[in-house]
Amino acid sequence: MSLAQKLMGGHGGHTDPSGATDDAGGLIVRPRLYEGCAGLCFLGRRKSTYDRIVAAAKIGPGDRVLDIGCGTGYLTRRAALATGPTGRVVGVDPSEPVIAYARRESPQWCEFHVTGGDQVDEPDGAFDAAVSSLALHHIPPADRAIVLREMFRLVRPGGRLVIADFRPPRNRLAGHLVGGMTGHAMQHNPIEELPGWIAEAGFTVTGRADLRPMMSYVAADRP
Ligand SMILES: C[S@@+](CC[C@H](N)C(=O)[O-])C[C@H]1O[C@@H](n2cnc3c(N)ncnc32)[C@H](O)[C@@H]1O
């Protein structure tokens, strides 16, 4: 059983025709284990990595921010530090256990809702910025365009989008090792396709960068 399957309580994910199980569609249900693993995997760089996502989304005091697939709320809390208490930071995730954890750990101006990224109960243009980290590869491929269009609806004109996801190792052997630990979807993460999908949703892509040790992000503006 891969680490990804353990984080999802030994279920979740899809089985493709080859019999390989991936974690697309899987929900994280073990928040403490997830936090412990994330701390180790980022090699001491988790805070600085997530703060770069917050900076790329140009999040500042008073901003209204949406975090899709927020999990335990780590990025939500980094964003909330940047908005301060005059801001509003909303995290959504379909997994009840991670949302319960995020609610316990986060400041008052963070709100959390148990829902998928395809249907967020907020009005059009409700947010200055939308962010997402390590979540897109969990969303089944057929739903990714729907989630990106929902983010487009929710960000105000002139607002920002930053999506960060896992960057599989370029070295083939390292890729197989990481895939064995984490699961099929992370081994085959289509990060290269992300700028095209974001543009198709209506955003203007403004930049992309690697976040060491193992993520990339794409930044965009809503025209
Ligand atoms: C690897 S975790 C990342 C959590 C957090 N964003 C972080 O950076 O630590 C991926 C999250 O995506 C969530 N997820 C799965 N399907 C989703 C969907 N359709 N919409 C939104 N989030 C989803 C999972 O429940 C899980 O909490």
Side-chain angles (χ1 to χ4, degrees), residues 26-28 34 46 50 67-72 74 92-95 98 115-117 133-135 137-140:
L27 309 187
I28 301 288
Y34 179 80
R46 194 181 187 197
Y50 279 73
D67 180 8
I68 295 272
C70 65
T72 51
Y74 192 86
V92 302
D93 197 289
S95 166
V98 294
T115 184
S133 59
L134 294 176
H137 68 272
H138 273 255
I139 297 171

Side-chain angles (χ1 to χ4, degrees), residues 64 120-127 149-157 222:
R64 302 159 301 160
V120 179
D121 189 14
E122 295 281 347
D124 295 359
F127 297 96
R149 279 202 299 274
E150 181 69 344
M151 291 171 106
F152 184 82
R153 179 185 76 76
L154 291 161
V155 172
R156 67 164 169 81
R222 189 202 197 283

Side-chain angles (χ1 to χ4, degrees), residues 84-104:
T86 57
R88 174 176 184 242
V89 189
V90 177
V92 302
D93 197 289
S95 166
E96 294 229 27
V98 294
I99 289 292
Y101 180 98
R103 282 190 182 124
R104 280 197 303 274

Side-chain angles (χ1 to χ4, degrees), residues 40 80 89 108 149 151 153 155 158 163-164 168-169 174 181 198 216 221:
L40 290 175
V89 189
Q108 271 176 348
R149 279 202 299 274
M151 291 171 106
R153 179 185 76 76
V155 172
I163 299 197
M181 278 172 62
I198 288 175
S216 293
D221 288 342

